[in-house]
Amino acid sequence: MTDTTILTERHGHILIVTINRPEARNAVNAAVHVGIGTALEKAEADPEIRVVVITGAGDKAFCAGADLVALSRGESLYPDDAAQQAWGFAGMVAHPISKPIIAAVNGIAFGGGCEIALMSDIIIAATHAQFGLPEVKVGLFAAAGGAFRLAQQLPKKLAMEHMLTGDPIPAARAAEFGLVNHVVPLGELMPTALALAEKIAGNAPLSVQASKRVALGIQNGRIAADAPYWEHNRLERSALMQSEDAREGPRAFAEKRKPEWKAR
């Protein structure tokens, strides 16, 4: 991969995937989408890769979500290729693979960044990491799986509070309620993630993959139980994106001002 937007590194049977846009808080644009999706395809097809670890460059952001500045300029966050579009946001959220995915969250995981973490099987978080779905603050909603996955992975009332306020969840509190597996100092983040990945990789790979597919209901590269959620998601997003508020939110964000909501 010549584009350095996504870096991949082999570590024995582990593939490390790094979102490499620290200047943009590792926000997702079309290049990130293609890079992550392609890396996951590579991992699934290569029998020597047994675990994927995904992280962000730098020490401030795992991923700040969609690149709202690019969105405000009218740029698409999705590639032109239909097969790549089917992977879902960031090339990942509707792209289940059999190989276990560990998210090593090195900072904020907001919006689509949180949705990447929610799609991962295991989360290791740095002490200062935070998780959040702030889309309601910018006229959008967590349309990349967050609106249903957060409520599946946290107690529903807690998930609703954070989704409807857009307020972040500190790593320690996320761990308290089972959203995060381990919270460690930043310097121990990748060693901890890699140690866990190596432990998983030491098990029978086909057994691990079958276990994941059964646990998540993955068949033919899809999670069948998610289909009704994605359809509802599509209908809501289609309606919302036609609203004035959906245009105002990213514009206000890019202009660094308070949005003026009109509820239309």
Side-chain angles (χ1 to χ4, degrees):
M1 197 180 297
T2 56
D3 188 344
T4 59
T5 302
I6 295 295
L7 304 177
T8 59
E9 177 188 352
R10 287 288 292 269
H11 186 96
H13 292 297
I14 302 160
L15 180 67
I16 303 171
V17 179
T18 304
I19 306 171
N20 187 37
R21 300 188 71 213
E23 76 288 349
R25 298 192 301 167
N26 298 321
V28 174
N29 58 12
V32 171
H33 178 120
V34 173
I36 293 177
T38 301
L40 295 182
E41 288 286 286
K42 173 184 176 181
E44 189 75 334
D46 187 342
E48 290 302 308
I49 295 175
R50 300 180 184 176
V51 184
V52 175
V53 174
I54 185 164
T55 193
D59 59 5
K60 292 180 171 56
F62 170 71
C63 173
D67 189 336
L68 295 182
V69 175
L71 197 62
S72 73
R73 292 194 298 257
E75 296 178 20
S76 175
L77 305 184
Y78 289 83
D80 294 331
D81 184 89
Q84 294 177 338
Q85 290 177 14
W87 294 336
F89 179 81
M92 180 168 174
V93 301
H95 190 187
I97 63 172
S98 299
K99 310 297 175 72
I101 301 174
I102 298 174
V105 180
N106 54 302
I108 61 168
F110 288 167
C114 183
E115 289 166 314
I116 290 172
L118 291 170
M119 185 60 178
S120 301
D121 301 301
I122 293 169
I123 299 175
I124 312 297
T127 309
H128 70 294
Q130 297 184 72
F131 300 82
L133 298 174
E135 283 86 347
V136 293
K137 296 178 182 287
V138 292
L140 306 174
F141 83 102
F148 63 88
R149 287 191 175 126
L150 192 71
Q152 291 172 343
Q153 297 181 32
L154 280 178
K156 189 160 289 186
K157 294 293 191 295
L158 182 64
M160 294 302 289
E161 176 186 344
H162 286 281
M163 185 160 47
L164 300 182
T165 63
D167 289 343
I169 310 169
R173 183 158 172 80
E176 180 184 350
F177 288 96
L179 183 65
V180 167
N181 296 75
H182 304 282
V183 179
V184 297
L186 180 63
E188 297 176 19
L189 180 66
M190 286 306 292
T192 301
L194 289 173
L196 184 55
E198 287 170 353
K199 188 171 185 178
I200 293 169
N203 291 329
L206 298 184
S207 300
V208 168
Q209 292 160 36
S211 297
K212 175 175 173 176
R213 286 193 298 269
V214 171
L216 299 185
I218 299 172
Q219 290 182 304
N220 301 316
R222 292 288 179 268
I223 300 175
D226 285 354
Y229 292 107
W230 285 123
E231 176 58 18
H232 190 185
N233 197 88
R234 184 188 66 79
L235 294 171
E236 294 285 359
R237 185 179 187 278
S238 178
L240 183 66
M241 293 307 289
Q242 295 178 44
S243 70
E244 291 183 34
D245 283 355
R247 292 187 291 275
E248 165 65 5
R251 188 184 304 118
F253 179 87
E255 295 172 0
K256 296 181 169 54
R257 61 174 174 81
K258 185 176 181 179
E260 299 179 9
W261 306 126
K262 297 182 179 177
R264 64 174 187 263

